[in-house]
Amino acid sequence: MCYNGAEEIAERQEVSEQMKVPFSSLLEEKKPFLGTFVQSGSPEFLEASAYAGFRYAAVDLEHTYYGVERTAEMIRAGEAADLCMLARVPCLDAAWIKKCLDFGASGIIVPNIDTAEQARQAVRLCRFAPEGLRGACPGVRANCYGKGGAEYYTRSNRQVAVIPLVETPEGVRNFPEIVATPDIAAVFLGPVDLSVAMGLGGDTTAPQVRQALLDMIGEANRAGVPVGALAVNPAFARELLDAGLNFLAYGIDTILMYQTCRQVIEQVLGE
């Protein structure tokens, strides 16, 4: 089939726009899906995880060494491999949230959400006026550098996923109010921080942590809000999914690389 110049450009632009995977599109499949957090800054890892079957990745700006420049490149790489690209920002901060969304992140995971008011503030920082407080610029990547026009602001308010991360005993106590926050796309549970905060040294399978996670999964299911969590071993992951978890972050890219290397040592050298 032949195209004139304008038709070919329009088709390429349409394909380019289809590369971005909204978080809502994964939820609409109505079946559990897996992803991971990325700290290494490796585009190759993102591509490999997508080819292996992961559906999303969250650039972990809370715990990694790099900043906004690398984040933009990671989002591009993940989108090119058909991953839904999220960003876990370091904190509930307008500047970090704005930059990640301007780069084209499909959603924001906001850590250390302990109250419903913090969850509401996270929503406001991810929404343009009149629904929120997000600063607007027409020339950013998320708006195709101006191609999206005025519709960009409405579309972004509708599509950007706001995901509060609950990971403290205070957040557990306030979970029913947090999960009732209007316009959140999902909630995410952080068992490692919760375990440390409980004085359990990061043991995510400790009975107190396990019960808190199961209680929150049940609460989210009853509220009709999708719920995700971190897991670092298959048995624990399956238990959470069986309890009603909708999506899972399996480990972190650095942990997955370490685990794979250890498996090679054990299987080849028996050590």
Side-chain angles (χ1 to χ4, degrees):
M1 182 179 294
C2 297
Y3 300 93
N4 63 36
E7 288 173 338
E8 185 172 359
I9 291 171
E11 178 171 289
R12 288 177 180 174
Q13 289 173 334
E14 182 178 358
V15 170
S16 176
E17 290 174 0
Q18 291 173 347
M19 293 295 288
K20 182 173 181 178
V21 182
F23 188 71
S24 60
S25 69
L26 303 183
L27 296 174
E28 288 167 0
E29 295 178 5
K30 303 296 184 183
K31 60 182 182 180
F33 56 91
L34 269 65
T36 192
F37 286 100
V38 179
Q39 294 182 356
S40 69
S42 168
E44 291 82 4
F45 176 86
L46 286 172
E47 293 171 327
S49 71
Y51 302 150
F54 281 20
R55 305 297 304 282
Y56 78 96
V59 180
D60 188 0
L61 293 164
E62 184 182 11
H63 295 294
T64 192
Y65 65 92
Y66 54 81
V68 293
E69 295 86 355
R70 179 63 65 86
T71 300
E73 301 308 316
M74 295 291 284
I75 291 172
R76 286 191 179 96
E79 286 181 355
D82 290 331
L83 287 174
C84 172
M85 291 302 298
L86 308 175
R88 173 162 70 175
V89 293
C91 57
L92 181 57
D93 179 83
W96 275 104
I97 290 172
K98 176 171 57 179
K99 286 180 180 292
C100 290
L101 292 178
D102 284 352
F103 293 152
S106 293
I108 301 292
I109 300 175
V110 186
N112 298 305
I113 295 298
D114 294 329
T115 67
E117 174 53 35
Q118 290 175 333
R120 289 191 292 269
Q121 180 67 357
V123 172
R124 288 192 289 267
L125 293 179
C126 290
R127 297 284 187 265
F128 293 114
E131 299 173 32
L133 304 171
R134 180 182 168 191
C137 175
V140 296
R141 179 176 183 270
N143 191 28
C144 299
Y145 308 109
K147 176 180 179 291
E151 289 298 317
Y152 159 64
Y153 305 106
T154 302
R155 185 174 63 252
S156 179
N157 278 359
R158 184 175 65 250
Q159 291 184 345
V160 165
V162 185
I163 307 172
L165 170 52
V166 177
E167 50 190 341
T168 68
E170 183 180 1
V172 174
R173 289 192 296 272
N174 293 323
F175 192 77
E177 291 76 29
I178 293 171
V179 80
T181 303
D183 295 327
I184 60 172
V187 290
F188 195 87
L189 313 180
V192 177
D193 273 293
L194 181 58
S195 173
V196 172
M198 288 180 167
L200 299 170
D203 181 0
T204 59
T205 60
Q208 303 95 310
V209 177
R210 177 180 174 276
Q211 191 58 56
L213 294 174
L214 294 177
D215 288 346
M216 287 189 287
I217 291 171
E219 183 74 34
N221 289 165
R222 288 188 293 273
V225 176
V227 55
L230 173 77
V232 293
N233 69 71
F236 186 54
R238 286 192 294 268
E239 180 180 8
L240 295 180
L241 291 170
D242 289 343
L245 200 75
N246 301 102
F247 63 101
L248 183 81
Y250 193 88
I252 303 165
D253 61 341
T254 51
I255 291 177
L256 291 172
M257 288 186 277
Y258 166 77
Q259 289 175 339
T260 301
C261 291
R262 279 303 309 162
Q263 288 173 3
V264 171
I265 293 293
E266 292 167 2
Q267 294 170 6
V268 175
L269 299 180
E271 296 179 0

